[in-house]
Amino acid sequence: LLLHCVYSREVWFTFLRRSGWQRLTPSPPDNLSTWWLCSRKLVVKARRKAFDSVCLLLTRLFWLERNSRVFRNVSRLPGMLVNAVSEQVDLWVRVGFLVRSNLFGD
């Protein structure tokens, strides 16, 4: 689910594109740990923590989405999940866990 389905790839691409990292979007043959370790090396060091944070956040929200689908029979469209990620990023920025300019290059 995290890398191999169309839904997750759309979410990864859409969110990574906002940060200028769309070229790092995972593809089906990738596994999460290998993809992440290789991709983070391609991110400028000053922005690497932001990239790592986004990867962890997306992974967590994919897991929650999966649980929602399986156990509550409730699902969101990819754009809705991207919006949920954006809301979490805004929260992380407000509490000082994430520097917005490191994520979006502002």
Side-chain angles (χ1 to χ4, degrees), residues 33-60:
S33 59
T34 302
W35 167 80
W36 174 60
L37 291 171
C38 292
S39 295
R40 72 184 306 276
K41 292 176 186 175
L42 300 174
V43 174
V44 177
K45 194 168 186 173
R47 297 180 67 197
R48 203 169 285 162
K49 281 186 180 181
F51 178 78
D52 292 344
S53 295
V54 165
C55 290
L56 291 171
L57 178 60
L58 276 164
T59 301
R60 178 179 181 269

Side-chain angles (χ1 to χ4, degrees), residues 47-79:
R47 297 180 67 197
R48 203 169 285 162
K49 281 186 180 181
F51 178 78
D52 292 344
S53 295
V54 165
C55 290
L56 291 171
L57 178 60
L58 276 164
T59 301
R60 178 179 181 269
L61 290 178
F62 279 127
W63 180 257
L64 293 174
E65 177 66 18
R66 179 202 170 275
N67 285 347
S68 180
R69 287 170 184 244
V70 170
F71 299 115
R72 294 194 317 248
N73 200 29
V74 176
S75 62
R76 296 186 270 196
L77 295 171

